[in-house]
Amino acid sequence: MAQPALIESKDGAGQGPASLDSVLGFHIRLAHGAVYRHFSETFATLGLTQKQVSTLWLVAEMPGIAQSELGNRLRMDRATAMSIVSRMQERGYLWRERCPSDGRKQLLHLTDEGRNALDQAKTCIEEHERWLKSRFTSDEVKKLVEMLARIHE
Amino acid sequence: MAQPALIESKDGAGQGPASLDSVLGFHIRLAHGAVYRHFSETFATLGLTQKQVSTLWLVAEMPGIAQSELGNRLRMDRATAMSIVSRMQERGYLWRERCPSDGRKQLLHLTDEGRNALDQAKTCIEEHERWLKSRFTSDEVKKLVEMLARIHE
DNA sequence: TATTGTTATACTCTATAACTATA
DNA sequence: TATAGTTATAGAGTATAACAATA
Protein backbone atom coordinates (compact mmCIF):
# COMPACT_ATOMS: atom_id res chain seq x y z
CA MET A 1 0.00 0.00 0.00
CA ALA A 2 3.05 2.28 0.19
CA GLN A 3 4.25 2.51 -3.37
CA PRO A 4 2.45 4.62 -5.96
CA ALA A 5 -0.24 2.65 -7.76
CA LEU A 6 1.27 3.20 -11.17
CA ILE A 7 4.12 4.74 -13.09
CA GLU A 8 4.22 8.50 -13.33
CA SER A 9 2.99 9.80 -16.66
CA LYS A 10 0.81 12.55 -18.05
CA ASP A 11 -1.95 12.68 -20.57
CA GLY A 12 -1.04 13.25 -24.18
CA ALA A 13 -2.30 16.32 -26.02
CA GLY A 14 -5.93 15.56 -26.75
CA GLN A 15 -5.51 11.94 -27.75
CA GLY A 16 -6.92 10.26 -24.71
CA PRO A 17 -5.35 9.07 -21.49
CA ALA A 18 -1.70 8.12 -21.90
CA SER A 19 -1.50 6.33 -18.58
CA LEU A 20 -3.90 4.21 -16.62
CA ASP A 21 -3.08 6.40 -13.64
CA SER A 22 -4.84 9.35 -15.26
CA VAL A 23 -8.14 7.52 -15.70
CA LEU A 24 -10.72 8.80 -13.22
CA GLY A 25 -12.80 5.61 -13.35
CA PHE A 26 -9.71 3.62 -12.42
CA HIS A 27 -9.24 5.61 -9.22
CA ILE A 28 -12.92 5.30 -8.32
CA ARG A 29 -12.63 1.54 -8.65
CA LEU A 30 -9.47 1.30 -6.56
CA ALA A 31 -10.87 3.61 -3.89
CA HIS A 32 -14.05 1.57 -3.77
CA GLY A 33 -12.00 -1.60 -3.41
CA ALA A 34 -10.03 -0.16 -0.49
CA VAL A 35 -13.23 0.98 1.22
CA TYR A 36 -14.84 -2.37 0.56
CA ARG A 37 -11.96 -4.26 2.12
CA HIS A 38 -11.83 -2.10 5.23
CA PHE A 39 -15.60 -2.35 5.56
CA SER A 40 -15.43 -6.14 5.36
CA GLU A 41 -12.82 -6.28 8.11
CA THR A 42 -14.80 -3.92 10.33
CA PHE A 43 -17.98 -5.90 9.77
CA ALA A 44 -16.50 -9.40 9.89
CA THR A 45 -17.87 -10.06 13.37
CA LEU A 46 -21.30 -8.63 12.58
CA GLY A 47 -21.55 -10.59 9.36
CA LEU A 48 -23.18 -7.79 7.39
CA THR A 49 -22.24 -6.43 3.98
CA GLN A 50 -22.41 -2.85 2.71
CA LYS A 51 -25.58 -3.52 0.77
CA GLN A 52 -27.21 -5.24 3.70
CA VAL A 53 -26.44 -2.37 6.08
CA SER A 54 -27.64 0.18 3.53
CA THR A 55 -30.86 -1.80 3.19
CA LEU A 56 -31.51 -1.98 6.94
CA TRP A 57 -30.65 1.68 7.35
CA LEU A 58 -32.94 2.82 4.55
CA VAL A 59 -35.84 0.72 5.80
CA ALA A 60 -35.30 2.23 9.24
CA GLU A 61 -35.35 5.73 7.77
CA MET A 62 -38.41 5.01 5.64
CA PRO A 63 -40.56 2.36 7.31
CA GLY A 64 -43.06 0.86 4.88
CA ILE A 65 -40.91 1.61 1.83
CA ALA A 66 -41.74 -0.65 -1.10
CA GLN A 67 -39.13 -3.16 -2.22
CA SER A 68 -39.04 -1.57 -5.65
CA GLU A 69 -38.44 1.87 -4.16
CA LEU A 70 -35.64 0.50 -2.02
CA GLY A 71 -34.06 -0.84 -5.19
CA ASN A 72 -34.36 2.54 -6.89
CA ARG A 73 -32.75 4.41 -4.04
CA LEU A 74 -29.88 1.96 -3.57
CA ARG A 75 -29.47 1.57 -7.34
CA MET A 76 -30.26 -2.12 -7.46
CA ASP A 77 -32.46 -3.84 -9.99
CA ARG A 78 -35.44 -5.91 -8.83
CA ALA A 79 -33.61 -9.22 -8.72
CA THR A 80 -30.74 -7.84 -6.63
CA ALA A 81 -33.09 -6.07 -4.21
CA MET A 82 -35.08 -9.28 -3.96
CA SER A 83 -32.10 -11.40 -2.96
CA ILE A 84 -30.85 -8.91 -0.36
CA VAL A 85 -34.27 -8.33 1.18
CA SER A 86 -34.86 -12.08 1.28
CA ARG A 87 -31.59 -12.70 3.07
CA MET A 88 -32.36 -10.00 5.63
CA GLN A 89 -35.78 -11.55 6.12
CA GLU A 90 -34.30 -15.03 6.59
CA ARG A 91 -32.10 -13.62 9.32
CA GLY A 92 -35.14 -12.10 10.97
CA TYR A 93 -34.09 -8.49 10.47
CA LEU A 94 -37.10 -7.34 8.46
CA TRP A 95 -40.55 -8.45 7.35
CA ARG A 96 -42.67 -7.90 4.27
CA GLU A 97 -46.20 -6.52 4.38
CA ARG A 98 -48.48 -6.81 1.35
CA CYS A 99 -49.54 -3.26 0.43
CA PRO A 100 -53.31 -2.86 1.03
CA SER A 101 -53.77 -0.22 -1.65
CA ASP A 102 -51.57 -1.84 -4.31
CA GLY A 103 -51.38 -5.62 -4.17
CA ARG A 104 -48.25 -5.71 -6.31
CA LYS A 105 -46.11 -4.00 -3.70
CA GLN A 106 -44.33 -5.41 -0.67
CA LEU A 107 -43.82 -2.87 2.13
CA LEU A 108 -40.73 -3.38 4.26
CA HIS A 109 -40.33 -3.00 8.02
CA LEU A 110 -37.50 -3.73 10.48
CA THR A 111 -38.00 -6.20 13.29
CA ASP A 112 -36.68 -5.45 16.79
CA GLU A 113 -33.78 -7.73 15.98
CA GLY A 114 -33.18 -5.75 12.81
CA ARG A 115 -33.11 -2.51 14.77
CA ASN A 116 -30.57 -4.00 17.16
CA ALA A 117 -28.40 -5.16 14.30
CA LEU A 118 -28.60 -1.72 12.71
CA ASP A 119 -27.60 -0.02 15.95
CA GLN A 120 -24.53 -2.22 16.17
CA ALA A 121 -23.82 -1.63 12.51
CA LYS A 122 -23.95 2.13 12.99
CA THR A 123 -21.27 1.89 15.63
CA CYS A 124 -19.08 0.01 13.16
CA ILE A 125 -19.90 2.55 10.46
CA GLU A 126 -18.69 5.35 12.72
CA GLU A 127 -15.36 3.60 13.16
CA HIS A 128 -15.16 2.85 9.46
CA GLU A 129 -16.00 6.43 8.52
CA ARG A 130 -13.41 7.78 10.94
CA TRP A 131 -10.78 5.63 9.20
CA LEU A 132 -11.97 6.84 5.81
CA LYS A 133 -12.40 10.52 6.61
CA SER A 134 -9.17 10.84 8.59
CA ARG A 135 -7.31 11.70 5.38
CA PHE A 136 -9.50 14.71 4.59
CA THR A 137 -10.48 18.04 6.09
CA SER A 138 -14.18 18.45 6.72
CA ASP A 139 -14.39 20.82 3.74
CA GLU A 140 -12.78 18.18 1.57
CA VAL A 141 -15.24 15.55 2.77
CA LYS A 142 -18.11 17.83 1.86
CA LYS A 143 -16.64 18.47 -1.57
CA LEU A 144 -15.92 14.80 -2.13
CA VAL A 145 -19.45 13.72 -1.19
CA GLU A 146 -20.90 16.41 -3.41
CA MET A 147 -18.78 15.35 -6.37
CA LEU A 148 -19.54 11.65 -5.90
CA ALA A 149 -23.25 12.47 -5.71
CA ARG A 150 -22.97 14.15 -9.12
CA ILE A 151 -21.87 10.77 -10.46
CA HIS A 152 -24.57 8.55 -8.97
CA GLU A 153 -27.55 10.86 -8.88
CA MET B 1 -31.85 8.60 -11.58
CA ALA B 2 -33.55 11.96 -11.15
CA GLN B 3 -34.75 11.96 -7.57
CA PRO B 4 -32.34 12.48 -4.67
CA ALA B 5 -30.84 9.21 -3.48
CA LEU B 6 -32.13 9.61 0.06
CA ILE B 7 -34.16 11.77 2.38
CA GLU B 8 -32.66 15.09 3.40
CA SER B 9 -31.12 15.03 6.85
CA LYS B 10 -28.00 16.24 8.63
CA ASP B 11 -25.56 14.68 11.01
CA GLY B 12 -26.29 14.87 14.70
CA ALA B 13 -23.91 16.67 17.05
CA GLY B 14 -20.99 14.29 17.45
CA GLN B 15 -22.96 11.07 17.74
CA GLY B 16 -22.29 9.56 14.36
CA PRO B 17 -24.05 9.83 11.06
CA ALA B 18 -27.78 10.46 11.45
CA SER B 19 -28.59 9.66 7.85
CA LEU B 20 -27.25 7.17 5.38
CA ASP B 21 -26.91 10.04 2.95
CA SER B 22 -24.14 11.56 5.06
CA VAL B 23 -21.96 8.43 4.95
CA LEU B 24 -18.96 8.97 2.66
CA GLY B 25 -18.48 5.24 2.03
CA PHE B 26 -22.07 5.01 0.87
CA HIS B 27 -21.49 7.62 -1.83
CA ILE B 28 -18.28 5.95 -2.94
CA ARG B 29 -20.15 2.69 -3.38
CA LEU B 30 -23.01 4.28 -5.32
CA ALA B 31 -20.64 6.24 -7.53
CA HIS B 32 -18.64 3.11 -8.21
CA GLY B 33 -21.83 1.28 -9.14
CA ALA B 34 -22.85 3.99 -11.59
CA VAL B 35 -19.40 3.95 -13.18
CA TYR B 36 -19.43 0.17 -13.30
CA ARG B 37 -22.77 0.09 -15.09
CA HIS B 38 -21.78 2.68 -17.68
CA PHE B 39 -18.49 0.90 -18.21
CA SER B 40 -20.29 -2.40 -18.78
CA GLU B 41 -22.56 -0.85 -21.40
CA THR B 42 -19.65 0.82 -23.15
CA PHE B 43 -17.66 -2.41 -23.17
CA ALA B 44 -20.50 -4.81 -23.95
CA THR B 45 -19.40 -5.27 -27.55
CA LEU B 46 -15.72 -5.64 -26.64
CA GLY B 47 -16.48 -8.14 -23.89
CA LEU B 48 -13.90 -6.79 -21.47
CA THR B 49 -14.31 -5.90 -17.81
CA GLN B 50 -12.69 -3.08 -15.85
CA LYS B 51 -10.20 -5.43 -14.24
CA GLN B 52 -9.33 -7.02 -17.55
CA VAL B 53 -8.69 -3.68 -19.25
CA SER B 54 -6.62 -2.48 -16.28
CA THR B 55 -4.59 -5.66 -16.53
CA LEU B 56 -3.91 -5.33 -20.26
CA TRP B 57 -3.11 -1.65 -19.85
CA LEU B 58 -0.68 -2.20 -16.98
CA VAL B 59 1.11 -5.04 -18.79
CA ALA B 60 1.43 -2.74 -21.82
CA GLU B 61 2.91 -0.01 -19.64
CA MET B 62 5.25 -2.38 -17.84
CA PRO B 63 6.15 -5.29 -20.15
CA GLY B 64 7.66 -8.17 -18.20
CA ILE B 65 5.88 -7.23 -14.97
CA ALA B 66 5.53 -10.19 -12.62
CA GLN B 67 2.06 -11.52 -11.93
CA SER B 68 2.48 -10.80 -8.24
CA GLU B 69 3.49 -7.21 -8.93
CA LEU B 70 0.46 -6.77 -11.18
CA GLY B 71 -1.68 -7.94 -8.29
CA ASN B 72 -0.04 -5.46 -5.93
CA ARG B 73 -0.56 -2.52 -8.25
CA LEU B 74 -4.16 -3.34 -9.08
CA ARG B 75 -4.89 -4.30 -5.47
CA MET B 76 -5.76 -7.91 -6.18
CA ASP B 77 -4.66 -10.90 -4.16
CA ARG B 78 -2.80 -13.75 -5.85
CA ALA B 79 -5.86 -15.84 -6.59
CA THR B 80 -7.76 -12.96 -8.20
CA ALA B 81 -4.75 -11.92 -10.29
CA MET B 82 -4.32 -15.53 -11.32
CA SER B 83 -7.85 -15.91 -12.60
CA ILE B 84 -7.80 -12.65 -14.55
CA VAL B 85 -4.39 -13.28 -16.10
CA SER B 86 -5.44 -16.82 -17.02
CA ARG B 87 -8.57 -15.60 -18.75
CA MET B 88 -6.60 -13.01 -20.72
CA GLN B 89 -4.15 -15.73 -21.66
CA GLU B 90 -6.95 -18.06 -22.78
CA ARG B 91 -8.21 -15.31 -25.05
CA GLY B 92 -4.75 -14.92 -26.49
CA TYR B 93 -4.18 -11.38 -25.18
CA LEU B 94 -1.07 -12.09 -23.13
CA TRP B 95 1.50 -14.77 -22.44
CA ARG B 96 3.53 -15.83 -19.43
CA GLU B 97 7.31 -16.10 -19.40
CA ARG B 98 9.11 -17.96 -16.62
CA CYS B 99 11.55 -15.51 -15.03
CA PRO B 100 15.13 -16.65 -15.74
CA SER B 101 16.57 -15.08 -12.58
CA ASP B 102 13.76 -16.15 -10.22
CA GLY B 103 11.97 -19.35 -11.15
CA ARG B 104 9.02 -18.54 -8.93
CA LYS B 105 7.94 -15.56 -10.99
CA GLN B 106 5.88 -15.40 -14.17
CA LEU B 107 6.62 -12.37 -16.33
CA LEU B 108 3.70 -11.03 -18.37
CA HIS B 109 3.68 -9.74 -21.95
CA LEU B 110 0.94 -8.67 -24.36
CA THR B 111 0.45 -10.46 -27.65
CA ASP B 112 -0.24 -8.52 -30.85
CA GLU B 113 -3.87 -9.45 -30.40
CA GLY B 114 -3.74 -8.12 -26.86
CA ARG B 115 -2.32 -4.82 -28.09
CA ASN B 116 -5.15 -4.58 -30.63
CA ALA B 117 -7.74 -5.26 -27.95
CA LEU B 118 -6.17 -2.65 -25.69
CA ASP B 119 -6.19 -0.06 -28.47
CA GLN B 120 -9.89 -0.65 -28.99
CA ALA B 121 -10.45 -0.58 -25.25
CA LYS B 122 -8.69 2.76 -24.95
CA THR B 123 -11.10 4.26 -27.46
CA CYS B 124 -13.99 3.02 -25.33
CA ILE B 125 -12.29 4.35 -22.20
CA GLU B 126 -12.07 7.78 -23.78
CA GLU B 127 -15.79 7.76 -24.42
CA HIS B 128 -16.47 6.45 -20.94
CA GLU B 129 -14.22 9.04 -19.33
CA ARG B 130 -15.86 11.84 -21.31
CA TRP B 131 -19.22 10.72 -19.92
CA LEU B 132 -17.80 10.60 -16.40
CA LYS B 133 -15.79 13.81 -16.47
CA SER B 134 -18.48 15.88 -18.18
CA ARG B 135 -19.92 16.76 -14.78
CA PHE B 136 -16.69 18.32 -13.50
CA THR B 137 -14.32 21.13 -14.33
CA SER B 138 -10.76 20.03 -15.04
CA ASP B 139 -9.70 21.41 -11.66
CA GLU B 140 -12.38 19.35 -10.00
CA VAL B 141 -11.23 16.21 -11.83
CA LYS B 142 -7.71 16.80 -10.60
CA LYS B 143 -8.91 17.30 -7.04
CA LEU B 144 -11.17 14.26 -7.21
CA VAL B 145 -8.42 11.99 -8.51
CA GLU B 146 -6.06 13.28 -5.87
CA MET B 147 -8.57 12.65 -3.08
CA LEU B 148 -9.45 9.17 -4.34
CA ALA B 149 -5.76 8.32 -4.52
CA ARG B 150 -5.44 9.23 -0.84
CA ILE B 151 -7.94 6.45 -0.16
CA HIS B 152 -6.40 3.66 -2.19
CA GLU B 153 -2.69 4.41 -1.94
C1' DT C 1 -49.87 -2.87 -21.33
C1' DA C 2 -47.02 -1.61 -17.49
C1' DT C 3 -45.49 -2.51 -12.83
C1' DT C 4 -44.03 -5.43 -9.00
C1' DG C 5 -42.44 -9.30 -7.17
C1' DT C 6 -40.49 -13.88 -7.78
C1' DT C 7 -37.48 -17.61 -9.35
C1' DA C 8 -33.69 -19.48 -11.89
C1' DT C 9 -29.43 -18.83 -13.92
C1' DA C 10 -24.85 -17.04 -15.01
C1' DC C 11 -20.74 -14.29 -14.64
C1' DT C 12 -17.27 -11.41 -12.23
C1' DC C 13 -14.84 -10.14 -8.31
C1' DT C 14 -13.14 -11.23 -3.93
C1' DA C 15 -11.22 -14.08 -0.54
C1' DT C 16 -9.54 -18.30 1.95
C1' DA C 17 -7.22 -22.51 2.15
C1' DA C 18 -4.18 -25.96 0.75
C1' DC C 19 -0.71 -27.40 -2.29
C1' DT C 20 3.72 -27.15 -5.27
C1' DA C 21 7.98 -25.09 -6.66
C1' DT C 22 11.59 -21.98 -5.87
C1' DA C 23 14.49 -18.76 -3.06
C1' DT D 1 10.95 -19.90 6.25
C1' DA D 2 9.24 -16.90 2.93
C1' DT D 3 7.69 -15.93 -1.70
C1' DA D 4 5.17 -16.95 -6.16
C1' DG D 5 2.15 -19.37 -8.46
C1' DT D 6 -1.66 -22.70 -8.82
C1' DT D 7 -6.07 -24.94 -7.92
C1' DA D 8 -10.42 -25.51 -5.67
C1' DT D 9 -14.08 -23.56 -3.35
C1' DA D 10 -17.39 -20.23 -1.67
C1' DG D 11 -20.01 -15.94 -1.08
C1' DA D 12 -21.61 -11.40 -2.67
C1' DG D 13 -23.18 -8.37 -6.18
C1' DT D 14 -24.92 -7.67 -10.68
C1' DA D 15 -27.67 -8.71 -14.47
C1' DT D 16 -30.96 -11.14 -17.74
C1' DA D 17 -34.84 -13.84 -18.77
C1' DA D 18 -39.17 -15.80 -17.96
C1' DC D 19 -43.21 -16.09 -15.23
C1' DA D 20 -47.32 -14.73 -12.13
C1' DA D 21 -50.14 -11.36 -9.97
C1' DT D 22 -51.90 -6.86 -9.94
C1' DA D 23 -52.88 -2.19 -11.76
Coordinates of all heavy atoms in Angstrom, one line a residue, chain B residues 49 51 77-80 83-84 87 101-104, chain C residues 11-23:
Chain B
T49 N -13.9 -6.5 -19.1 CA -14.3 -5.9 -17.8 C -13.3 -4.9 -17.4 O -12.2 -4.8 -18.0 CB -14.4 -6.9 -16.7 OG1 -13.1 -7.5 -16.4 CG2 -15.4 -8.1 -17.1
K51 N -11.4 -4.8 -14.7 CA -10.2 -5.4 -14.2 C -9.4 -5.9 -15.4 O -8.1 -5.9 -15.4 CB -10.5 -6.6 -13.3 CG -10.6 -6.2 -11.8 CD -9.2 -6.1 -11.2 CE -9.1 -5.2 -10.1 NZ -9.7 -5.6 -8.9
D77 N -5.5 -9.9 -4.8 CA -4.7 -10.9 -4.2 C -4.2 -11.9 -5.3 O -4.6 -11.8 -6.4 CB -5.4 -11.6 -3.0 CG -6.6 -12.4 -3.5 OD1 -6.7 -12.5 -4.7 OD2 -7.4 -12.8 -2.7
R78 N -3.4 -12.8 -4.9 CA -2.8 -13.7 -5.8 C -3.8 -14.5 -6.6 O -3.8 -14.7 -7.9 CB -1.9 -14.8 -5.1 CG -0.5 -14.2 -4.8 CD 0.2 -15.3 -4.0 NE -0.4 -15.7 -2.8 CZ -0.1 -16.8 -2.1 NH1 0.8 -17.6 -2.5 NH2 -0.7 -17.0 -0.9
A79 N -4.9 -15.0 -5.9 CA -5.9 -15.8 -6.6 C -6.6 -15.0 -7.6 O -6.9 -15.5 -8.7 CB -6.8 -16.4 -5.5
T80 N -7.0 -13.8 -7.3 CA -7.8 -13.0 -8.2 C -6.9 -12.6 -9.4 O -7.4 -12.7 -10.6 CB -8.2 -11.7 -7.5 OG1 -8.9 -12.0 -6.3 CG2 -9.1 -10.9 -8.4
S83 N -6.7 -15.6 -11.8 CA -7.9 -15.9 -12.6 C -8.0 -14.9 -13.7 O -8.4 -15.3 -14.9 CB -9.1 -16.0 -11.7 OG -9.7 -14.7 -11.6
I84 N -7.7 -13.7 -13.5 CA -7.8 -12.7 -14.6 C -6.7 -12.8 -15.6 O -7.0 -12.8 -16.8 CB -7.8 -11.2 -13.9 CG1 -9.1 -11.0 -13.2 CG2 -7.6 -10.2 -15.0 CD1 -9.2 -9.8 -12.4
R87 N -7.5 -15.8 -17.8 CA -8.6 -15.6 -18.8 C -8.0 -14.8 -19.9 O -8.4 -15.1 -21.1 CB -9.8 -14.9 -18.1 CG -11.0 -15.0 -19.0 CD -12.3 -14.7 -18.3 NE -12.4 -15.5 -17.1 CZ -12.7 -15.0 -15.9 NH1 -13.0 -13.8 -15.7 NH2 -12.8 -15.9 -14.9
S101 N 15.8 -15.3 -13.8 CA 16.6 -15.1 -12.6 C 15.8 -15.5 -11.3 O 16.4 -15.6 -10.2 CB 16.9 -13.6 -12.5 OG 15.7 -12.8 -12.4
D102 N 14.5 -15.7 -11.4 CA 13.8 -16.1 -10.2 C 12.6 -17.1 -10.7 O 11.6 -16.6 -11.1 CB 13.2 -14.9 -9.5 CG 12.5 -15.3 -8.2 OD1 12.2 -16.5 -8.0 OD2 12.4 -14.5 -7.3
G103 N 12.9 -18.3 -10.6 CA 12.0 -19.3 -11.1 C 10.6 -19.3 -10.6 O 9.7 -20.0 -11.1
R104 N 10.4 -18.6 -9.5 CA 9.0 -18.5 -8.9 C 8.1 -17.6 -9.7 O 6.9 -17.7 -9.7 CB 9.1 -18.1 -7.5 CG 9.8 -19.0 -6.5 CD 10.0 -18.4 -5.2 NE 10.8 -17.2 -5.3 CZ 11.2 -16.4 -4.3 NH1 10.8 -16.8 -3.0 NH2 11.9 -15.4 -4.4
Chain C
dC11 P -21.7 -18.3 -17.7 OP1 -21.6 -18.7 -19.1 OP2 -21.4 -19.2 -16.6 O5' -20.9 -17.0 -17.5 C5' -21.5 -15.7 -17.8 C4' -20.9 -14.6 -16.9 O4' -21.6 -14.6 -15.7 C3' -19.4 -14.9 -16.5 O3' -18.6 -13.8 -17.0 C2' -19.5 -15.0 -15.0 C1' -20.7 -14.3 -14.6 N1 -21.4 -14.7 -13.4 C2 -21.7 -13.8 -12.4 O2 -21.4 -12.6 -12.6 N3 -22.2 -14.2 -11.2 C4 -22.5 -15.5 -11.0 N4 -23.0 -15.8 -9.9 C5 -22.2 -16.5 -12.0 C6 -21.6 -16.1 -13.2
dT12 P -17.0 -13.8 -16.8 OP1 -16.5 -13.4 -18.1 OP2 -16.6 -15.2 -16.3 O5' -16.7 -12.8 -15.7 C5' -17.4 -11.5 -15.8 C4' -17.2 -10.8 -14.5 O4' -18.0 -11.3 -13.4 C3' -15.7 -10.8 -14.0 O3' -15.2 -9.5 -13.8 C2' -15.8 -11.6 -12.7 C1' -17.3 -11.4 -12.2 N1 -17.9 -12.5 -11.4 C2 -18.5 -12.2 -10.2 O2 -18.5 -11.1 -9.8 N3 -19.0 -13.3 -9.5 C4 -19.0 -14.6 -10.0 O4 -19.5 -15.5 -9.3 C5 -18.3 -14.8 -11.2 C7 -18.3 -16.2 -11.7 C6 -17.8 -13.8 -11.9
dC13 P -13.7 -9.3 -13.4 OP1 -13.3 -7.9 -13.9 OP2 -12.9 -10.5 -13.7 O5' -13.8 -9.1 -11.8 C5' -14.7 -8.1 -11.2 C4' -14.8 -8.3 -9.7 O4' -15.5 -9.5 -9.4 C3' -13.4 -8.4 -9.0 O3' -13.4 -7.4 -8.0 C2' -13.4 -9.8 -8.5 C1' -14.8 -10.1 -8.3 N1 -15.2 -11.6 -8.3 C2 -16.0 -12.1 -7.3 O2 -16.3 -11.4 -6.3 N3 -16.3 -13.4 -7.3 C4 -15.9 -14.2 -8.3 N4 -16.3 -15.5 -8.3 C5 -15.2 -13.7 -9.4 C6 -14.8 -12.4 -9.4
dT14 P -12.0 -7.0 -7.2 OP1 -12.1 -5.6 -6.8 OP2 -10.9 -7.5 -8.0 O5' -12.1 -8.0 -5.9 C5' -13.3 -7.8 -5.0 C4' -13.2 -9.0 -4.0 O4' -13.7 -10.2 -4.7 C3' -11.9 -9.2 -3.4 O3' -11.8 -8.7 -2.1 C2' -11.8 -10.8 -3.5 C1' -13.1 -11.2 -3.9 N1 -13.1 -12.4 -4.8 C2 -13.8 -13.6 -4.4 O2 -14.4 -13.6 -3.4 N3 -13.7 -14.6 -5.3 C4 -13.1 -14.6 -6.6 O4 -13.1 -15.6 -7.3 C5 -12.4 -13.4 -6.9 C7 -11.7 -13.3 -8.2 C6 -12.5 -12.4 -6.0
dA15 P -10.4 -8.8 -1.3 OP1 -10.5 -7.8 -0.2 OP2 -9.3 -8.8 -2.2 O5' -10.5 -10.2 -0.6 C5' -11.7 -10.6 0.1 C4' -11.6 -12.1 0.5 O4' -11.9 -12.9 -0.7 C3' -10.3 -12.5 1.0 O3' -10.4 -12.7 2.4 C2' -9.9 -13.8 0.2 C1' -11.2 -14.1 -0.5 N9 -11.0 -14.6 -1.9 C8 -10.3 -14.0 -2.9 N7 -10.3 -14.7 -4.0 C5 -10.9 -15.9 -3.7 C6 -11.2 -17.1 -4.4 N6 -10.9 -17.2 -5.7 N1 -11.9 -18.0 -3.8 C2 -12.3 -17.8 -2.5 N3 -12.1 -16.8 -1.7 C4 -11.4 -15.8 -2.4
dT16 P -9.1 -13.2 3.2 OP1 -9.2 -12.7 4.6 OP2 -7.9 -12.9 2.5 O5' -9.3 -14.8 3.3 C5' -10.5 -15.4 3.5 C4' -10.5 -16.9 3.5 O4' -10.5 -17.4 2.2 C3' -9.2 -17.4 4.1 O3' -9.5 -18.4 5.1 C2' -8.4 -18.0 2.9 C1' -9.5 -18.3 1.9 N1 -9.2 -18.2 0.5 C2 -9.5 -19.1 -0.4 O2 -10.2 -20.1 0.0 N3 -9.2 -18.9 -1.7 C4 -8.4 -17.9 -2.2 O4 -8.1 -17.8 -3.3 C5 -8.1 -16.9 -1.2 C7 -7.3 -15.6 -1.6 C6 -8.5 -17.1 0.1
dA17 P -8.3 -19.1 6.0 OP1 -8.8 -19.3 7.3 OP2 -7.0 -18.3 5.8 O5' -8.0 -20.5 5.3 C5' -9.1 -21.2 4.8 C4' -8.6 -22.4 4.0 O4' -8.4 -22.0 2.6 C3' -7.3 -22.9 4.5 O3' -7.4 -24.3 4.7 C2' -6.3 -22.6 3.4 C1' -7.2 -22.5 2.1 N9 -6.7 -21.6 1.1 C8 -6.3 -20.3 1.3 N7 -5.9 -19.7 0.2 C5 -6.2 -20.6 -0.8 C6 -6.0 -20.6 -2.2 N6 -5.5 -19.6 -2.9 N1 -6.3 -21.7 -2.9 C2 -6.8 -22.8 -2.2 N3 -7.0 -22.9 -0.9 C4 -6.7 -21.8 -0.2
dA18 P -6.1 -25.1 5.4 OP1 -6.7 -26.1 6.3 OP2 -5.1 -24.2 5.8 O5' -5.6 -26.0 4.1 C5' -6.5 -26.7 3.3 C4' -5.7 -27.1 2.0 O4' -5.5 -26.0 1.2 C3' -4.4 -27.7 2.3 O3' -4.2 -28.9 1.5 C2' -3.4 -26.6 1.9 C1' -4.2 -26.0 0.7 N9 -3.8 -24.6 0.5 C8 -3.6 -23.6 1.3 N7 -3.2 -22.4 0.8 C5 -3.3 -22.7 -0.6 C6 -3.0 -21.9 -1.7 N6 -2.7 -20.7 -1.7 N1 -3.1 -22.5 -2.9 C2 -3.5 -23.8 -3.0 N3 -3.7 -24.7 -2.0 C4 -3.6 -24.0 -0.8
dC19 P -2.9 -29.9 1.9 OP1 -3.5 -31.2 2.0 OP2 -2.2 -29.3 3.0 O5' -2.0 -29.8 0.6 C5' -2.6 -30.0 -0.7 C4' -1.7 -29.4 -1.8 O4' -1.8 -28.0 -1.7 C3' -0.2 -29.7 -1.7 O3' 0.1 -30.7 -2.6 C2' 0.4 -28.3 -2.0 C1' -0.7 -27.4 -2.3 N1 -0.5 -26.0 -1.8 C2 -0.2 -25.0 -2.7 O2 -0.1 -25.3 -3.9 N3 0.0 -23.8 -2.2 C4 0.0 -23.5 -0.9 N4 0.2 -22.3 -0.5 C5 -0.3 -24.5 0.1 C6 -0.5 -25.8 -0.4
dT20 P 1.7 -31.2 -2.6 OP1 1.6 -32.6 -3.2 OP2 2.3 -30.9 -1.3 O5' 2.4 -30.2 -3.7 C5' 1.8 -30.1 -5.0 C4' 2.7 -29.1 -5.8 O4' 2.5 -27.8 -5.3 C3' 4.1 -29.4 -5.8 O3' 4.7 -29.6 -7.1 C2' 4.7 -28.2 -5.0 C1' 3.7 -27.1 -5.3 N1 3.6 -26.1 -4.2 C2 3.8 -24.8 -4.5 O2 4.0 -24.4 -5.7 N3 3.7 -23.9 -3.5 C4 3.4 -24.3 -2.1 O4 3.4 -23.4 -1.3 C5 3.3 -25.7 -1.9 C7 3.0 -26.1 -0.5 C6 3.4 -26.5 -2.9
dA21 P 6.3 -30.0 -7.3 OP1 6.4 -30.7 -8.5 OP2 6.8 -30.5 -6.0 O5' 6.9 -28.5 -7.5 C5' 6.5 -27.7 -8.5 C4' 7.3 -26.4 -8.5 O4' 6.8 -25.6 -7.3 C3' 8.8 -26.6 -8.3 O3' 9.4 -25.8 -9.3 C2' 9.1 -26.1 -6.9 C1' 8.0 -25.1 -6.7 N9 7.6 -24.9 -5.3 C8 7.2 -25.9 -4.4 N7 6.9 -25.4 -3.2 C5 7.1 -24.0 -3.3 C6 6.9 -23.0 -2.4 N6 6.5 -23.1 -1.1 N1 7.2 -21.7 -2.9 C2 7.6 -21.6 -4.1 N3 7.7 -22.5 -5.1 C4 7.5 -23.7 -4.6
dT22 P 11.0 -25.9 -9.5 OP1 11.3 -25.7 -10.9 OP2 11.5 -27.0 -8.7 O5' 11.5 -24.5 -8.7 C5' 11.0 -23.3 -9.1 C4' 11.4 -22.2 -8.1 O4' 10.8 -22.5 -6.9 C3' 12.9 -22.1 -7.8 O3' 13.4 -20.9 -8.3 C2' 13.0 -22.3 -6.3 C1' 11.6 -22.0 -5.9 N1 11.2 -22.6 -4.6 C2 10.9 -21.7 -3.5 O2 11.0 -20.5 -3.6 N3 10.5 -22.4 -2.4 C4 10.4 -23.7 -2.2 O4 10.0 -24.2 -1.1 C5 10.7 -24.6 -3.3 C7 10.5 -26.1 -3.2 C6 11.0 -23.9 -4.5
dA23 P 14.9 -20.5 -8.1 OP1 15.2 -19.5 -9.2 OP2 15.7 -21.7 -8.0 O5' 14.9 -19.7 -6.7 C5' 14.3 -18.5 -6.6 C4' 14.5 -17.9 -5.2 O4' 13.8 -18.8 -4.3 C3' 15.9 -17.9 -4.8 O3' 16.4 -16.6 -4.8 C2' 15.9 -18.5 -3.4 C1' 14.5 -18.8 -3.1 N9 14.2 -20.1 -2.5 C8 14.3 -21.3 -3.0 N7 14.0 -22.3 -2.3 C5 13.6 -21.7 -1.1 C6 13.1 -22.2 0.1 N6 13.0 -23.5 0.4 N1 12.9 -21.3 1.1 C2 13.0 -20.0 0.9 N3 13.5 -19.4 -0.3 C4 13.7 -20.3 -1.2

